[in-house]
Structure formats: C-alpha cells, structure tokens
Amino acid sequence: MAWLLPTLNRAEKLKNFIDSAIAAETTTPGLILIDQDDWNANESSYKKLPIIPGWQYRITQGVTMGDKVREVWNEVESRNWVGILNDDHYVVTKHWDVKMLAKLDGKNFVSANDRWCAPRKATTATLWSMDLLKCLGWPIFPPGLHHLYIDDLWENLGRHTGCWRPVMSVVVEHHHVYAGKGAMDSTHEKVYSSKAWDIDTATFQNFMKHDFQEAVNKIKKFQDILPGQRFKPP
C-alpha cells in the first residue's frame, strides 16, 4: 500500500503538502516521484524538505505523471490499495489517510473533498482498491495517457459502474491555478502545453470511443464476484 505523488520542479509546493500531511498526522506510506533531470537540478532543495514518516523519494526516467506511475508500478502492485496525490494538494483533515482507507471496500475507489469541484469531480487525493485496477489491467493511467483527463476518465467509470465514492468529510484542498489558489508556473506551462493537450485529448477520446465500454464491463464483472470467490485478473 502506498501513495504515489509525482512532482515536477515544485519543491516549494511539495513542502506545503508535506507540512500539511505531517500536521494531519499521516501514517500511511508514500513515494514521491521525481524525474532524473529535476532531481539533478534541484537535489539540494528536495533534500532540505521535511519527510513524512514512512515516505521515500523515487528517481524516475519518466517525466509525466502517467509515465512516473507506470515506472514504479512494480513496487506497489502487490499491495491492497494505491493512491494518487499532487504536489499542489494541501491536507486539512487530521488522519485523512486512515479515514479514506476506511471507505475502501476492495472493489471501489474513493476521492477526498477539495473544496472546489467535489463531489462532482475527483481532482484531489484519490485512492483505489488494487483489485479494481487489476481487473482493468493498467496502472490507473490507461496506455498513452500522461496527465490530462485522468479525472474525467475515472469519474465516467465511477458513474457507469457505481465504483466511485466521494468522501466529503475528508478535506484535501487542491491549490490549483484554475481554483484561484496558485500561480501559473513552468510546470503548468508544460502540462498544459498545446502538445500535451493534443496527445492526451486524442488518447482520452480514443479510450472513450473504443475501450470505455469494455472497461465498464470488466468492472461490473469484477463487482459480481461473491465473497469467498477468488478473483483472477485478466
């Protein structure tokens, strides 16, 4: 079990998250994913940051959120659950992680309250039962998707199968520029570049057109497994 937190050239924002997570008495483990170029350029800044108990850095070759998650997936896929966080998240609710874990039932995913888009969207801390991901056969991000639309994709899967549960009692704010809680920076410019939009838009649209119904069917079949029956991933 682990949280995965991909970050990119944002040591200051990452510190804000870490400080909030420590203050909220976080006890679950996590991996902070930093690509090699970012680490080489900002190693001293990252090493000055406090560390959440049980958390570690992982240096990746991948740069995008999706590529980083795919690269470290072998470290977490044997666990019962996995979560995604962003470096511009800010934990408000004490024991937020344990409270979110309590809402997992082995077949669902849950998202926190960002005080922005929730419960309509899952744009902050999100936690999956691992077997739900195994039934689909890909690590949160379907092949080719890097960052954009990942919330839309899972929201659609959740609404069509009932496998999504927003946990409004747990607040993890998303200090996003579009929420008016952050300034545009080089990371935003890279993530929201026209090239990034083009790649992820095409991938998302292709998924929704060709793969979405199959994913829904897999989840529904998985949901029909009775207690005591053995789940066999595809």
Side-chain angles (χ1 to χ4, degrees), residues 40-57:
N40 291 344
N42 302 295
E43 180 178 356
S44 61
S45 296
Y46 285 124
K47 285 186 173 180
K48 291 177 183 177
L49 299 180
I51 193 71
I52 304 166
W55 285 54
Q56 303 174 54
Y57 288 115

Side-chain angles (χ1 to χ4, degrees), residues 116-133:
W116 177 30
C117 299
R120 181 176 55 87
K121 293 186 66 62
T123 58
T124 184
T126 306
L127 191 61
W128 286 264
S129 299
M130 186 61 77
D131 280 349
L132 175 64
L133 297 171

Side-chain angles (χ1 to χ4, degrees), residues 30-101:
L31 298 176
I32 298 172
L33 312 180
I34 305 174
D35 71 86
Q36 187 69 64
D37 288 343
D38 184 5
W39 181 259
N40 291 344
N42 302 295
E43 180 178 356
S44 61
S45 296
Y46 285 124
K47 285 186 173 180
K48 291 177 183 177
L49 299 180
I51 193 71
I52 304 166
W55 285 54
Q56 303 174 54
Y57 288 115
R58 282 293 181 274
I59 311 305
T60 66
Q61 297 305 306
V63 176
T64 68
M65 181 178 287
D67 282 347
K68 287 175 177 176
V69 169
R70 284 183 275 265
E71 189 171 329
V72 302
W73 196 247
N74 65 320
E75 293 193 50
V76 299
E77 63 181 341
S78 63
R79 315 294 181 89
N80 293 329
W81 61 267
V82 66
I84 284 283
L85 292 158
N86 289 353
D87 51 23
D88 55 358
H89 290 168
Y90 187 88
V91 182
V92 175
T93 302
K94 188 165 287 190
H95 307 304
W96 64 288
D97 51 339
V98 175
K99 291 176 179 178
M100 289 187 70
L101 271 174

Side-chain angles (χ1 to χ4, degrees), residues 125-126 129 133 149 173 176 179 222:
T126 306
S129 299
L133 297 171
Y149 299 102
E173 295 179 345
H176 195 282
F222 168 61

Side-chain angles (χ1 to χ4, degrees), residues 80 105-109 128-137 154 161 163 214-227 229-234:
N80 293 329
D105 63 12
K107 296 184 178 182
N108 66 342
F109 76 98
W128 286 264
S129 299
M130 186 61 77
D131 280 349
L132 175 64
L133 297 171
K134 288 181 178 179
C135 88
L136 293 173
W154 276 101
T161 65
C163 71
E214 180 183 2
V216 167
N217 293 342
K218 286 181 176 179
I219 292 174
K220 288 184 175 180
K221 183 177 180 180
F222 168 61
Q223 290 172 324
D224 285 340
I225 295 174
L226 298 174
Q229 289 184 323
R230 186 177 179 184
F231 167 59
K232 296 181 179 180

